[in-house]
Amino acid sequence: MKSYISIVLLSLLFSSFTTKEQFSVKTEQSTIDRDLLVTYAKQYLGVPYKYASSNPDAGFDCSGFVSYVYGNFGLTLPRSSSGYKNLGKTLKPEEFKVGDILVFYGYKDRTVVGHLGIICEANGMKSKFIHASSGKAQQVTITALDTEHYTKRFYKCIDVLSE
């Protein structure tokens, strides 16, 4: 019995030395706190980009990151960026809020949805968003929407939290 207790205590002690704080927020409420959602998302800054992954230990692609973050709050979203083409209420720039999802066309094909991000600082077309970037950053990062790379690919901003 003493050895079992020692193992449990050592496990607890070891787990307190993890390098990344883990939030574990689940809610069945009809509304999700937008600021809490962004705070949760920001804990994954620096996690590497990994195609077709929604695993924070392995890395994220853009849709994997978005679905993982919202999934933590009990909201199931499409796992593929193409699933966002007809999803959510489309917003005008003056309606953008923290927690809304930015939807972008692909880098090469301007007819197919190819990238997603979550608004973390709302300011219309000058908003900033957190996303898993396959570009230069190759990680979860925060980017300004008003960079040429993203403004020319911008498709829409959607609110999935107020539906």
Side-chain angles (χ1 to χ4, degrees):
M1 184 66 159
K2 284 184 181 181
S3 63
Y4 176 77
I5 293 172
S6 297
I7 291 171
V8 169
L9 289 174
L10 283 173
S11 296
L12 290 171
L13 181 62
F14 179 77
S15 67
S16 69
F17 289 109
T18 57
T19 59
K20 187 174 292 240
E21 181 179 357
Q22 294 293 316
F23 291 91
S24 183
V25 180
K26 294 285 181 187
T27 181
E28 300 303 320
Q29 300 171 5
S30 59
T31 58
I32 295 171
D33 184 303
R34 292 170 178 272
D35 292 323
L36 184 59
L37 183 130
V38 169
T39 298
Y40 179 79
K42 284 181 176 179
Q43 78 171 316
Y44 297 104
L45 285 167
V47 169
Y49 177 85
K50 183 169 182 184
Y51 179 75
S53 177
S54 58
N55 179 344
D57 295 327
F60 292 111
D61 68 4
C62 67
S63 57
F65 176 67
V66 170
S67 65
Y68 183 86
V69 169
Y70 282 85
N72 186 72
F73 291 84
L75 187 60
T76 302
L77 293 176
R79 179 52 195 88
S80 172
S81 58
S82 63
Y84 290 78
K85 187 159 189 165
N86 299 311
L87 183 71
K89 175 189 171 199
T90 301
L91 304 171
K92 298 175 195 164
E94 61 271 16
E95 299 173 319
F96 292 4
K97 296 177 294 309
V98 167
D100 290 337
I101 298 173
L102 294 172
V103 182
F104 300 93
Y105 289 116
Y107 183 67
K108 295 178 183 174
D109 186 347
R110 302 284 193 257
T111 63
V112 176
V113 171
H115 192 62
L116 308 169
I118 302 168
I119 293 181
C120 58
E121 292 179 32
N123 186 18
M125 292 303 288
K126 294 185 183 289
S127 296
K128 291 185 179 179
F129 63 102
I130 186 168
H131 60 120
S133 173
S134 63
K136 192 172 162 182
Q138 287 288 308
Q139 64 183 344
V140 175
T141 188
I142 294 175
T143 304
L145 175 57
D146 65 352
T147 62
E148 183 182 354
H149 179 73
Y150 287 104
T151 53
K152 68 183 181 181
R153 294 174 54 203
F154 178 75
Y155 171 53
K156 66 180 178 175
C157 179
I158 58 173
D159 180 357
V160 297
L161 297 175
S162 298
E163 292 189 339

